Amino acid sequence: MDTVEKIVEDFASDIAMSPFSSGTRLRDMIRAIRACKTAAEERAVVRRECAAIRTAISENEPELRHRNMAKLMFIHMLGYPTHFAQMECLKLIAAAGYPEKRVGYLGLMLLLDERQEVLMLVTNSLKQDLNHPNQFIVGLALCALGNICSAEMARDLSPEVERLMRSREVNTKKKAALCSIRIVRKVPDLAENFMALAASLLKEKHHGVLISAIQLCTELCKASKDALEYLRKNCIEGLVRILRDVSNSSYAPEYDVSGIADPFLHIRVLKLMRILGQGDADCSEYMNDILAQVATKTESNKNAGNAILYECVQTIMGIEATSGLRVLAINILGRFLSNRDNNIRYVALNMLMRAIAVDVLAVQRHRTTILECVKDADASIRKRALELVFLLVNDTNVKPLTKELIDYLSIADPDFKGDLTEKLCSIVEKFSQEKLWYLDQMIKVLSLAGNHVKDDVCHALIVVLSNGSELQGYSVRSLYKALQAYGKQGSLVRVAVWCIGEYGEMLVNNVGMLDGEEPVMVTESGAVDAVEIALNRHSADATTGAMCLVALLKLSSRFPSTSERVKQIVARNKENVVLELQQRSIEFSSIIQRHQSIRSSLLERMPVLDEASYLVKRATATQATISADKLAPTVAPGGLKLPNGVAKPTSAPLADLLDLSSDGAPASTTTSTTTPNGFLQDLLGIGGVSTGTTGVPSIASTDILMDLLSIGSSPSQNGTPGQAIDLLGSLSSTTSVSGLEKTVHPSITAFQSATLKITFDFKRQPGNPRETTIHATFTNLTSSTYTDFIFQAAVPKFIQLKLDPASGNTVPANGNGSVTQGLNVTNNQQGQKPLAMRIRMSYKVNGEDRLEQGQVSNFPSGL
């Protein structure tokens, strides 16, 4: 007896240790796989089980075929290959019994797709099962066909599906309608065969059949214009009847969801109505009454009701609805904004942004509620509400809205301050009708969020200050007071220091007092104190430090009594680790000590900056930005940026404005020979290029440039230095060549790295063989989008170069689009020396600055 028990125990132990055989149940295999502690153990279990299944397949064991197929489907879902058992699916489908067919069709849908050649063998089995007297087997075939149908199978089996749509069985009709959706997607030409059938199914009472028929109608509208017109004529009445019946129906437990009768059917009908009514006034008029009924009778205290209301609003805004119905829809969105659910509020804000284009006055009525959403705790709602408020601003409400936003700016989250500050600056610049209000609001923004204000906004403010002589005294006093209270805001410090340096005597003497303005008691020493504190507090910022030194130097001329103190403050920076500050300190000390006779004339106020040309430059640049944000209205010149390829990087305007790179007057947009020195320094990285009184580079500077470029020959002493190099061309030059016949040269790959590709296309001017138009195309080869893209180029002295503005400053990822830019090149030694060019590309990837450069020397011969 003991021996028998031992034999049984050993047998059970053997089964537990190796449970893999063709007869193993699915649950045992799943249990064994879940018991694995490592991926290697799992792979070993799957490998042994697959080997057992292969053995069973080779031995042709039909009684275990369905069990093996079930195990293979589980193995497939784990990610292991199961292609060796595809023929087993076909054998199970060909079996006579329903259980085998069920597993076979399930395996077919899971293990195969329409690209498998094996699928061609199953067409005949599908056709037989579609004609089977058992409705459940017909349902299996329809499910499989609706999931993996190819174009060839759709053409072969379409007649059977059409016949089944006329069946008396509800489930068969429903599955046939869903299957026909796949057929229409694969073969749009077959759409006309299903138009009448789809319209007839809308007369059914069963909700499952109705939903399937409505989905089929929706797909038919997308596939064929003829089907769209047919359904407009034959389905509108039926859809209105369905929507009315389901809205007025009594309680039905099989369709009820939170007290709402079949919200899924509601939503499907509304979506189809939106497609049919779009652009058709007659259909839209027929829908108006039922849409108003749904909008007013649907309860909004349940999520299902809110879903119906949202879909109803989308339909109203999408069709040619009456103005009263649109106001009703926008009022529903206004109620959504008061809902506690963040998702409902977010979709309401999204929909209101689209509704502005339809009825802005109706949206304006909910301005107060929208403004409250800007203060919401949810970051996504805050950002979307801010974008909506920006779209709602106009000349009549700009002042109260700006006041509300500035009041909130002081308590806003640090992460949100950047977006809020950007929108506030855009609003103030765009809608300011008087300079005094503009200055007050910008000073408030600088005081509360100066660290988030961009340099181009500060530059625009300084341009306005330079042109507003009647407000310069008021501005310098306001900025001085703000500097005392908010001295840690970087942008505020830079603007305030610039104003104190330029208009310090107005601050001390209270010049230009406005009505109702209180005088500020500031001594000459107090003005120097303010700049000194700013210099000490922001010593780590080279730009702010340089601006403070310039302001101190100018104050030493404005206030001679403070000259000795200023000299001491400036001298402290002679050993500064920042080379720019060290050099300025040494030079400024020399001016104070040794050049007293020319100091006053050297440190006069800066000339009035040309506001009109600055606005034109900013306006030219934002065309690409506006096109990227299609929801935003056209932005006025005051809220725009400098064009790609035409101006310096973002930080350059302030540096140029404050003479950080040269002591000349502000650059004007004249010709390519007056290119500002900042471009040359930025492109080639050299310390400075001296200029004469005409703004033309000197001979020595040109020699340095030619050495750096390593192209061409050194300039002759008798040559014209003004033609030595044209880095970026005229800021306003765009050469029109329309209507002229051009000689086309083969395109070249001017530059290619692992991340960026640049191609040049050439066209020769027939009247001037020396002039060539180059069309540059920039393509992103990586999976990350490039932003703030800037292209710069340098050429030797015998070549003149003019760059047109680029088509945009964002290069899409993976080559899905490109940025283009035009270059006009004139080779004054054409035929003697070939074209040569040095290029540099700067851009940002996920906020990180990137830089690439190279030399183009493979230009076609003869250029």
Side-chain angles (χ1 to χ4, degrees):
M1 188 67 180
D2 293 337
T3 304
V4 174
E5 290 178 356
K6 187 175 184 304
I7 292 173
V8 172
E9 290 175 0
D10 291 342
F11 179 74
S13 177
D14 291 340
I15 293 178
M17 292 178 63
S18 180
F20 307 106
S21 67
S22 60
T24 306
R25 294 180 300 175
L26 175 62
R27 69 181 66 178
D28 295 330
M29 186 194 74
I30 294 174
R31 188 179 295 114
I33 290 175
R34 288 180 174 175
C36 297
K37 296 181 180 179
T38 63
E41 290 182 14
E42 180 184 294
R43 287 194 295 270
V45 170
V46 172
R47 189 163 50 246
R48 288 196 295 268
E49 186 62 44
C50 287
I53 294 174
R54 285 193 185 94
T55 302
I57 291 174
S58 62
E59 293 177 357
N60 194 15
E61 299 179 359
E63 66 278 0
L64 298 176
R65 188 172 286 148
H66 66 285
R67 178 180 294 179
N68 289 337
M69 182 54 60
K71 290 190 286 186
L72 280 170
M73 285 187 282
F74 183 80
I75 292 172
H76 174 79
M77 288 188 289
L78 292 177
Y80 296 97
T82 56
H83 57 276
F84 60 88
Q86 290 176 349
M87 291 303 297
E88 292 297 290
C89 295
L90 275 63
K91 292 177 182 178
L92 284 169
I93 291 171
Y98 174 79
E100 290 80 7
K101 284 184 179 290
R102 182 178 62 175
V103 177
Y105 276 121
L106 184 59
L108 181 74
M109 291 184 283
L110 190 61
L111 304 183
L112 282 80
D113 57 42
E114 61 181 278
R115 296 168 295 179
Q116 301 288 340
E117 295 182 1
V118 179
L119 202 61
M120 298 173 59
L121 304 176
V122 81
T123 304
N124 191 47
S125 296
L126 279 170
K127 189 169 185 177
Q128 292 178 0
D129 288 343
L130 289 174
N131 291 284
H132 200 280
N134 188 334
Q135 62 163 320
F136 300 107
I137 292 178
V138 173
L140 291 175
L142 286 171
C143 285
L145 188 61
N147 277 280
I148 61 170
C149 169
S150 63
E152 292 77 11
M153 293 174 66
R155 291 189 180 92
D156 294 339
L157 301 176
S158 175
E160 277 69 23
V161 176
E162 293 177 37
R163 177 181 56 80
L164 291 172
M165 289 179 68
R166 301 184 182 93
S167 171
R168 294 182 178 179
E169 296 293 337
V170 171
N171 287 331
T172 302
K173 282 194 286 189
K174 178 178 67 176
K175 292 182 179 181
L178 294 173
C179 181
S180 61
I181 294 175
R182 171 86 177 194
I183 293 175
V184 171
R185 287 176 181 170
K186 290 297 175 184
V187 189
D189 295 340
L190 295 175
E192 60 181 12
N193 298 344
F194 294 96
M195 292 189 302
L197 291 170
S200 65
L201 287 180
L202 294 178
K203 300 176 183 178
E204 295 287 332
K205 298 296 184 182
H206 191 274
H207 286 202
V209 177
L210 288 176
I211 289 178
S212 303
I214 291 170
Q215 287 181 275
L216 175 58
C217 291
T218 304
E219 196 64 36
L220 288 171
C221 292
K222 297 176 183 178
S224 169
K225 290 185 178 179
D226 294 337
L228 176 61
E229 293 301 324
Y230 177 86
L231 294 175
R232 277 175 174 168
K233 294 178 181 178
N234 297 278
C235 293
I236 291 295
E237 186 177 349
L239 291 173
V240 171
R241 176 186 53 80
I242 293 170
L243 193 55
R244 182 179 292 111
D245 291 345
V246 73
S247 298
N248 298 328
S249 63
S250 57
Y251 174 75
E254 64 269 28
Y255 302 130
D256 184 83
V257 177
S258 301
I260 306 294
D262 204 343
F264 303 100
L265 182 58
H266 269 98
I267 290 171
R268 289 292 178 185
V269 173
L270 289 168
K271 284 184 176 180
L272 181 55
M273 281 184 167
R274 182 163 70 251
I275 296 173
L276 297 178
Q278 188 172 9
D280 191 304
D282 294 335
C283 289
S284 301
E285 184 179 359
Y286 197 83
M287 301 175 190
N288 282 338
D289 292 341
I290 187 61
L291 290 175
Q293 180 181 335
V294 172
T296 53
K297 290 185 63 176
T298 305
E299 298 180 10
S300 60
N301 56 351
K302 300 290 179 62
N303 202 41
N306 287 327
I308 295 173
L309 286 173
Y310 177 71
E311 201 63 46
C312 184
V313 169
Q314 281 196 305
T315 301
I316 292 171
M317 304 307 292
I319 66 173
E320 307 299 318
T322 61
S323 59
L325 195 57
R326 286 176 176 168
V327 171
L328 175 62
I330 293 174
N331 289 340
I332 291 173
L333 295 176
R335 293 205 309 270
F336 280 0
L337 294 179
S338 303
N339 198 294
R340 295 182 179 180
D341 193 315
N342 288 345
N343 295 324
I344 294 176
R345 280 183 290 164
Y346 186 82
V347 297
L349 290 169
N350 265 341
M351 194 65 202
L352 284 170
M353 291 184 70
R354 293 159 54 188
I356 284 181
V358 180
D359 192 343
V360 66
L361 293 179
V363 180
Q364 286 280 6
R365 296 190 187 100
H366 304 279
R367 189 174 65 235
T368 305
T369 310
I370 296 170
L371 201 56
E372 288 300 316
C373 291
V374 176
K375 307 171 185 178
D376 195 88
D378 188 272
S380 58
I381 291 178
R382 285 201 306 263
K383 187 171 183 179
R384 186 62 68 195
L386 180 61
E387 293 173 358
L388 182 55
V389 168
F390 181 74
L391 298 180
L392 290 175
V393 177
N394 54 37
D395 293 331
T396 59
N397 62 22
V398 60
K399 291 187 177 181
L401 279 179
T402 304
K403 183 181 183 303
E404 289 281 349
L405 293 177
I406 290 178
D407 290 344
Y408 177 63
L409 184 62
S410 60
I411 59 173
D413 291 342
D415 295 338
F416 186 54
K417 272 191 176 181
D419 294 332
L420 183 56
T421 302
E422 182 180 0
K423 293 296 184 185
L424 264 172
C425 293
S426 299
I427 291 171
V428 173
E429 288 183 344
K430 180 180 177 182
F431 294 100
S432 60
Q433 298 176 352
E434 50 188 27
K435 287 187 177 181
L436 180 60
W437 182 82
Y438 168 80
L439 292 172
D440 286 339
Q441 306 314 308
M442 290 305 300
I443 292 173
K444 289 179 183 178
V445 173
L446 289 171
S447 301
L448 296 173
N451 293 327
H452 300 277
V453 177
K454 296 181 179 179
D455 284 349
D456 62 333
V457 176
C458 297
H459 189 195
L461 176 58
I462 290 176
V463 170
V464 173
L465 286 171
S466 175
N467 286 270
S469 58
E470 71 283 359
L471 295 175
Q472 288 170 352
Y474 171 78
S475 300
V476 71
R477 287 188 290 275
S478 299
L479 286 167
Y480 175 81
K481 290 186 286 187
L483 183 63
Q484 300 299 310
Y486 305 97
K488 294 183 180 180
Q489 303 292 342
S491 296
L492 171 67
V493 171
R494 287 192 284 272
V495 176
V497 164
W498 183 88
C499 280
I500 292 173
E502 292 295 320
Y503 315 117
E505 69 279 8
M506 291 186 172
L507 172 65
V508 173
N509 300 323
N510 284 317
V511 177
M513 294 286 293
L514 300 181
D515 294 339
E517 182 187 359
E518 296 182 2
V520 179
M521 304 305 296
V522 182
T523 62
E524 295 178 354
S525 179
V528 175
D529 288 341
V531 180
E532 181 184 10
I533 292 171
L535 176 62
N536 295 333
R537 180 175 289 169
H538 298 273
S539 57
D541 187 343
T543 302
T544 305
M547 294 169 69
C548 290
L549 290 176
V550 173
L552 287 169
L553 180 63
K554 291 196 172 187
L555 288 178
S556 70
S557 176
R558 309 279 193 276
F559 309 139
S561 62
T562 64
S563 180
E564 189 64 28
R565 183 185 171 196
V566 168
K567 183 177 69 173
Q568 296 175 1
I569 298 172
V570 172
R572 295 174 195 163
N573 290 274
K574 287 185 178 181
E575 298 180 358
N576 198 301
V577 293
V578 180
L579 183 60
E580 178 71 28
L581 300 182
Q582 183 186 123
Q583 180 180 350
R584 288 182 179 277
S585 178
I586 295 171
E587 292 173 353
F588 293 172
S589 296
S590 177
I591 291 173
I592 296 173
Q593 292 177 357
R594 304 177 186 176
H595 302 285
Q596 296 288 341
S597 59
I598 65 170
R599 184 172 62 170
S600 59
S601 57
L602 183 66
L603 301 178
E604 289 180 353
R605 288 183 186 172
M606 287 183 64
V608 175
L609 302 174
D610 190 351
E611 188 173 6
S613 62
Y614 173 72
L615 294 179
V616 169
K617 285 191 284 184
R618 295 188 83 191
T620 307
T622 334
Q623 296 173 355
T625 305
I626 296 175
S627 62
D629 188 5
K630 296 182 180 179
L631 292 177
T634 303
V635 181
L640 306 176
K641 296 183 180 179
L642 294 167
N644 181 9
V646 177
K648 290 184 263 188
T650 311
S651 59
L654 272 177
D656 183 57
L657 183 65
L658 295 163
D659 297 336
L660 296 186
S661 58
S662 66
D663 292 327
S668 62
T669 58
T670 54
T671 64
S672 59
T673 58
T674 59
T675 303
N677 295 337
F679 290 148
L680 178 61
Q681 297 173 18
D682 183 58
L683 182 60
L684 299 175
I686 59 180
V689 180
S690 60
T691 59
T693 57
T694 60
V696 182
S698 65
I699 299 292
S701 301
T702 306
D703 286 333
I704 296 173
L705 175 61
M706 296 305 298
D707 290 340
L708 286 171
L709 289 172
S710 301
I711 52 179
S713 58
S714 54
S716 170
Q717 295 296 328
N718 298 326
T720 304
Q723 297 178 350
I725 182 168
D726 183 353
L727 281 175
L728 295 179
S730 171
L731 293 181
S732 60
S733 61
T734 53
T735 305
S736 176
V737 293
S738 58
L740 298 177
E741 184 180 355
K742 301 179 181 181
T743 303
V744 180
H745 291 270
S747 60
I748 64 169
T749 301
F751 176 86
Q752 184 164 359
S753 64
T755 58
L756 183 65
K757 179 180 179 181
I758 304 175
T759 57
F760 282 178
D761 296 314
F762 305 92
K763 292 183 181 180
R764 178 75 65 81
Q765 300 288 356
N768 185 3
R770 296 182 178 182
E771 186 175 347
T772 304
T773 300
I774 302 176
H775 183 78
T777 304
F778 308 95
T779 306
N780 182 356
L781 304 179
T782 68
S783 58
S784 301
T785 301
Y786 296 165
T787 58
D788 297 343
F789 183 85
I790 296 177
F791 170 74
Q792 295 172 307
V795 293
K797 65 161 189 169
F798 58 87
I799 297 174
Q800 293 180 349
L801 171 66
K802 296 180 182 179
L803 280 133
D804 296 333
S807 62
N809 60 359
T810 301
V811 188
N814 299 318
N816 297 327
S818 59
V819 170
T820 59
Q821 189 164 2
L823 299 83
N824 295 308
V825 180
T826 302
N827 186 354
N828 294 318
Q829 297 188 20
Q830 192 262 339
Q832 302 176 18
K833 292 184 179 181
L835 286 180
M837 184 182 297
R838 195 171 183 84
I839 60 176
R840 190 178 91 163
M841 293 68 63
S842 62
Y843 51 89
K844 290 184 179 181
V845 180
N846 299 323
E848 181 181 351
D849 292 324
R850 299 289 177 86
L851 179 69
E852 297 191 55
Q853 56 187 6
Q855 184 169 323
V856 185
S857 56
N858 58 333
F859 287 100
S861 59
L863 294 180

